[in-house]
Amino acid sequence: MPGKTFDARTDKLLADLRAGGQYKVLQHLTSPMGPLVRTEEYGEVVCLCSNNYLGLADHPEVVAAGQDALDRYGAGTASVRFICGTFDIHRRLERDIAAFVGTEASLTYVSCWNANEALLPTVAAPEDVIISDELNHASIIDSCRLAKAERVRYAHSDMGELKARLVEHAGRPARWVVTDGVFSMEGDLAKLPELVKLCREHDAMLVVDDSHGIGVLGETGRGTPDHFGLLGEVDVLTGTLGKSLGGAAGGYVAASSRLVDLLVQRSRPSLFSNALPATVAASAGRAIQVVRDEPQRVKRLHDNVAVVRAGLRKLGFDVIESPSAILPIMIGDTAEAIAKSRRLLKLGVWVVGFGYPVVPQGQARLRVQVSAALEDEHIARALEAFAKL
Ligand SMILES: Cc1ncc(COP(=O)(O)O)c(C=O)c1O
């Protein structure tokens, strides 16, 4: 029978995952994303695992902007950008993103996965080299794989090794250094001051994926460069609209007008895949406006991060120091991390356990993510559950 081999090996893989306690079970929400969410399986729980860092996913103005756009532009773009899928709202959003992060221009995609995948294969020539942090997000890794340039890695945030790689590849027409701004599984920040300095000294292009930094870091929430006082100093920023900025979907590349124009002309996800829906563009645009108008949200997020970290440490959990809103608690064994996360859910707190292959074998963890939307009582409830754990 056709497909017998596939069926057998897939059944074995799924059975192994179940036997090893590594099988992922999807939970279904019946409420909007917020500090408290209703799940079909566990009822109402405090949510400490969404990327809704600023609590904008159900912000009335962000929702209303999407609804207005639905009335005005309809349900879909029904086209890629260069044919007939570019609406005036795309132009407005792209100008707003560029102004917010301090670049000349930006281009949106339906996700940051797409934005990352679009970038390196388009901008890096076969003779170039891409130098990538070993803990970069999967979408950057795939982008590197798709690019024709040679790819080399450096050990996580090891600036000595990065420098050596830059020197080793000095003869290349262009060198692209690629890093996450905030590392999504560790919660630590890229060493941006050193990265900027090294790239300047070696005439390399610096690309920072700031998906977990945008809206989170810096007093004005403009991301990792804002945190380090380096706005305008990074050559290329990518980021998502699917986390702090409304949480729906969408991503962007923000850079020079020249680079953005090249992406419009040549990047495959833009040429061959539909444009960002107008509803999402409108909500994300309003989310940026809210971040500008309500700086207290970013402040509340920073305060909540400090309270949650201090509370977890008081309970004896080992949580690294970092200004990001990602607080990983190292567990080690994948099955144990997943079991602990299930126990927390039963106690009314949603924290996800991450294991192999999302993180290396033996480094499974619970990843706590903090939101500005969490009230004091939600944090207290969460810490009580951790105390029982
Ligand atoms: C660092 C990083 N880059 C890119 C992405 C992908 O973003 P999106 O959901 O918009 O595709 C994520 C999402 O998990 C991420 O953490």
Side-chain angles (χ1 to χ4, degrees):
M1 229 169 69
K4 231 166 64 187
T5 308
F6 166 77
D7 290 354
R9 75 169 177 238
T10 305
D11 288 350
K12 178 172 178 334
L13 174 78
L14 294 173
D16 287 351
L17 289 176
R18 283 197 184 89
Q22 300 174 353
Y23 187 80
K24 293 178 187 59
V25 179
L26 306 181
Q27 314 294 338
H28 299 86
L29 276 73
T30 58
S31 69
M33 183 51 71
L36 291 175
V37 292
R38 215 168 312 110
T39 68
E40 275 181 1
E41 294 80 0
Y42 294 91
E44 189 183 73
V45 293
V46 179
C47 187
L48 289 184
C49 56
S50 86
N51 301 305
N52 187 24
Y53 294 125
L54 293 177
L56 297 183
D58 64 346
H59 188 289
E61 285 177 31
V62 174
V63 175
Q67 283 166 340
D68 290 349
L70 188 61
D71 289 341
R72 180 155 175 202
Y73 299 100
T77 61
S79 173
V80 305
R81 290 292 296 264
F82 89 94
I83 301 181
C84 56
T86 300
F87 291 58
D88 58 355
I89 194 132
H90 290 118
R91 182 175 52 210
R92 203 177 321 148
L93 174 62
E94 286 160 355
R95 285 182 180 161
D96 285 349
I97 291 170
F100 191 59
V101 302
T103 57
E104 279 177 3
S106 83
L107 184 68
T108 56
Y109 292 85
V110 292
S111 67
C112 184
W113 187 287
N114 261 257
N116 282 343
E117 200 170 281
L119 180 67
L120 294 171
T122 310
V123 299
E127 310 76 33
D128 294 353
V129 65
I130 301 168
I131 311 176
S132 174
D133 188 292
E134 67 176 346
L135 291 190
N136 277 341
H137 188 259
S139 55
I140 298 180
I141 295 171
D142 280 15
S143 181
C144 291
R145 286 177 180 156
L146 284 173
K148 297 216 166 68
E150 188 185 340
R151 313 170 303 252
V152 294
R153 288 193 305 179
Y154 60 96
H156 178 48
S157 279
D158 183 335
M159 296 296 106
E161 189 179 357
L162 172 59
K163 186 174 177 183
R165 299 269 177 243
L166 284 165
V167 171
E168 191 183 322
H169 292 278
R172 303 281 181 158
R175 287 162 292 172
W176 300 85
V177 174
V178 194
T179 179
D180 281 11
V182 175
F183 289 87
S184 51
M185 286 298 141
E186 316 298 311
D188 61 333
L189 270 52
K191 294 178 178 163
L192 206 56
E194 285 151 274
L195 283 159
V196 167
K197 189 164 172 279
L198 272 176
C199 288
R200 291 268 172 287
E201 280 169 9
H202 294 267
D203 195 22
M205 293 285 276
L206 178 59
V207 179
V208 176
D209 174 347
D210 215 14
S211 289
H212 289 278
I214 190 76
V216 172
L217 292 177
E219 261 177 45
T220 58
R222 286 159 203 249
T224 309
D226 187 11
H227 173 81
F228 286 110
L230 290 168
L231 276 171
E233 299 294 329
V234 174
D235 300 301
V236 187
L237 285 157
T238 68
T240 185
L241 306 171
K243 300 192 195 298
S244 65
L245 298 178
Y252 60 84
V253 176
S256 65
S257 305
R258 177 190 295 109
L259 189 146
V260 168
D261 199 13
L262 176 65
L263 294 175
V264 173
Q265 306 308 317
R266 287 283 173 84
S267 77
R268 292 163 71 82
S270 176
L271 295 177
F272 298 108
S273 182
N274 258 15
L276 187 71
T279 48
V280 177
S283 285
R286 186 56 60 93
I288 292 173
Q289 192 61 47
V290 174
V291 182
R292 286 194 163 121
D293 294 347
E294 301 178 13
Q296 66 274 19
R297 281 185 178 269
V298 177
K299 166 88 173 63
R300 173 78 197 185
L301 174 60
H302 295 172
D303 291 348
N304 280 354
V305 168
V307 172
V308 174
R309 178 184 290 108
L312 287 170
R313 280 186 176 164
K314 208 166 151 199
L315 292 171
F317 292 102
D318 183 16
V319 193
I320 66 155
E321 191 61 48
S322 160
S324 84
I326 298 172
L327 282 60
I329 299 173
M330 296 311 287
I331 303 292
D333 178 56
T334 300
E336 197 186 328
I338 291 179
K340 282 199 155 61
S341 127
R342 200 164 307 130
R343 170 134 166 77
L344 279 169
L345 262 175
K346 287 184 184 149
L347 293 167
V349 178
W350 198 356
V351 174
V352 171
F354 288 88
Y356 182 79
V358 180
V359 294
Q361 287 280 21
Q363 293 184 29
R365 63 202 68 184
L366 291 169
R367 184 176 75 166
V368 174
Q369 288 176 282
V370 180
S371 168
L374 291 166
E375 304 283 345
D376 296 351
E377 74 201 48
H378 305 135
I379 296 178
R381 239 163 93 176
L383 291 175
E384 254 170 57
F386 271 100
K388 289 182 188 152
L389 192 72

